[in-house]
């Protein structure tokens, strides 16, 4: 299998037409057909259904597409290295979090101040949001130096198996409660706290499916008063902007960890506690089994620990 075959496949799917794909790839339609036919022959499966209206993926094609996108992303990163002396880099993966991203911004500001004084080379920064699987993949594949995660205590054993497979190790930092994020337009916004039974009346925005998402474990801490069957999920999105706007301007809320940033508080978004809910979410970081963290990553963790003590 060649990178070229995956590039042709992804381009054809994105264009929805072999003719349009050929134009984008600066080649001919017969050549695109030949390359894709060769890929299907090599994989011994049909990836596309051709018709007069264009092309559509088979179930096997859909599976290949997601993997192909990841391969091409990393291939482009490798290509970008050609002839370049890359600056030092701090790359972190984590969940959607204004606190985690703010800490990275603070390190950027500190680094820029030092660079102006010492005329040193700038540091490159990256922050990747994702699910637990994506975060651990990023660290395992050296896309990120450090991954920040949180998960239910009862998942730690399962999580450890995943870490062993990916040759990672996990360092817990703190235990936190589960809470409900809601904005000032929510009718319960002025309440001091909620009961588990009241969650049945709320409208939620959920994120892309993740085995480690906390909604899968609410039943165990709510003693059956609230389950995913009771959950009215009005929106599903992986967009931080979508979630933030729903919280700001509607009666839709979301589940989260008790780790509310000052930015959310200024926006009049609250993390509403749940009566009788004990801390059951473990927040920590993952790193490769071998190798040492850079001074920049250690600085980031220092800031994270300080914030956990304050909040």
């Amino acid at each position: 299998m060649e990178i070229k075959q995956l590039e042709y496949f992804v381009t054809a799917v994105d264009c929805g037409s072999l003719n349009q794909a050929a134009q984008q790839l600066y080649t001919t339609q017969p050549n695109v057909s030949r390359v894709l036919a060769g890929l299907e022959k090599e994989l011994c499966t049909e990836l596309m259904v051709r018709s007069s209206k264009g092309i559509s993926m088979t179930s096997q094609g859909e599976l290949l597409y997601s993997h192909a996108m990841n391969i091409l992303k990393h291939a482009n990163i490798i290509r970008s290295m050609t002839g370049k002396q890359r600056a030092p880099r701090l790359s972190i993966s984590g969940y959607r979090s204004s606190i985690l991203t703010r800490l990275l911004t603070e390190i950027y500001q500190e680094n820029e101040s030092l660079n102006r004084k010492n005329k040193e080379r700038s540091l490159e920064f990256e922050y990747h949001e994702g699910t637990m699987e994506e975060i651990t993949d990023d660290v395992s594949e050296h896309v990120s130096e450090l991954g920040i995660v949180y998960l239910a205590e009862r998942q730690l054993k399962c999580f450890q198996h995943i870490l062993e497979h990916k040759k990672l190790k996990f360092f817990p930092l703190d235990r936190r409660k589960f809470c409900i994020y809601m904005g000032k337009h929510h009718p319960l916004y002025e309440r001091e706290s909620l009961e588990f039974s009241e969650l049945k009346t709320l409208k939620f925005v959920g994120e892309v499916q993740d085995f480690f998402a906390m909604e899968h474990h609410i039943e165990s801490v709510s003693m059956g008063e609230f389950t995913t069957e009771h959950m009215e999920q009005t929106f599903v999105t992986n967009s931080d902007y979508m979630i933030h706007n729903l919280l700001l301007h509607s009666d839709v809320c979301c589940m989260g960890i008790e780790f509310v940033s000052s930015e959310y508080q200024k926006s009049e978004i609250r993390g509403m506690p749940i009566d009788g809910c004990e801390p059951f979410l473990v927040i920590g970081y993952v790193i490769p089994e071998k190798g040492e963290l850079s001074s920049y990553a250690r600085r980031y963790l220092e800031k994270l620990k300080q914030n956990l003590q304050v909040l």
Side-chain angles (χ1 to χ4, degrees), residues 95 130-135 150 155 207-217:
Y95 291 122
T131 62
M132 177 74 78
E133 181 179 0
E134 290 167 335
I135 293 168
Y150 59 81
Q155 292 178 307
E207 299 184 59
V208 176
Q209 288 299 314
D210 181 0
F211 170 74
F212 289 94
M214 66 182 68
E215 57 261 31
H216 301 309
H217 308 281

Side-chain angles (χ1 to χ4, degrees), residues 5-199:
Q5 291 174 303
L6 298 180
E7 288 176 333
Y8 275 45
F9 172 69
V10 168
T11 303
V13 170
D14 290 344
C15 291
S17 159
L18 297 183
N19 282 325
Q20 291 180 26
Q23 292 174 16
Q24 189 166 322
L25 292 165
Y26 299 101
T27 186
T28 63
Q29 185 269 328
N31 188 44
V32 174
S33 296
R34 180 183 60 78
V35 171
L36 295 179
L39 179 61
E40 289 179 317
K41 182 178 180 180
E42 185 175 343
L43 296 177
C44 300
T45 188
E46 186 180 34
L47 301 172
M48 298 177 172
V49 176
R50 286 85 164 168
S51 71
S52 58
K53 296 181 179 179
I55 58 173
S56 59
M57 288 185 289
T58 63
S59 58
Q60 287 297 97
E62 291 175 354
L63 181 61
L64 175 64
Y65 184 85
S66 61
H67 292 305
M69 289 294 288
N70 283 327
I71 292 170
L72 293 176
K73 178 183 73 174
H74 293 123
N76 287 331
I77 292 172
I78 294 171
R79 286 169 181 159
S80 70
M81 296 169 59
T82 305
K84 291 183 180 179
Q85 185 64 39
R86 189 165 190 177
R89 181 175 69 112
L90 174 57
S91 182
I92 295 170
S93 290
Y95 291 122
R96 173 184 54 83
S97 168
S98 59
I99 292 181
L100 297 181
T101 50
R102 178 170 56 78
L103 296 181
L104 198 57
T105 304
E106 289 177 6
I107 292 181
Y108 163 76
Q109 291 172 320
E110 292 171 1
N111 186 68
E112 286 299 294
S113 178
L114 286 172
N115 287 341
R116 284 192 292 270
K117 289 181 181 179
N118 304 325
K119 296 182 180 180
E120 294 181 355
R121 192 171 184 184
S122 295
L123 181 68
E124 290 185 359
F125 295 85
E126 294 180 13
Y127 187 84
H128 304 273
E129 291 184 354
T131 62
M132 177 74 78
E133 181 179 0
E134 290 167 335
I135 293 168
T136 52
D137 279 347
D138 283 349
V139 179
S140 177
E141 297 166 7
H142 302 286
V143 173
S144 291
E145 179 179 7
L146 183 66
I148 310 298
V149 299
Y150 59 81
L151 65 157
E153 284 180 302
R154 65 197 292 264
Q155 292 178 307
L156 285 173
K157 187 174 181 179
C158 174
F159 186 50
Q160 192 58 44
H161 287 303
I162 294 173
L163 296 179
E164 289 173 2
H165 175 70
K166 296 183 180 182
K167 297 182 179 180
L168 303 174
K169 50 187 176 180
F170 173 66
F171 294 90
L173 295 174
D174 200 5
R175 292 166 69 246
R176 291 274 157 166
K177 295 180 180 180
F178 149 82
C179 68
I180 302 295
Y181 284 95
M182 58 176 61
K184 62 182 179 179
H185 292 288
H186 199 284
L188 301 181
Y189 181 77
E190 299 298 333
R191 291 276 298 277
E192 292 297 321
S193 62
L194 297 173
E195 299 283 345
F196 271 115
S197 58
E198 292 180 289
L199 303 189

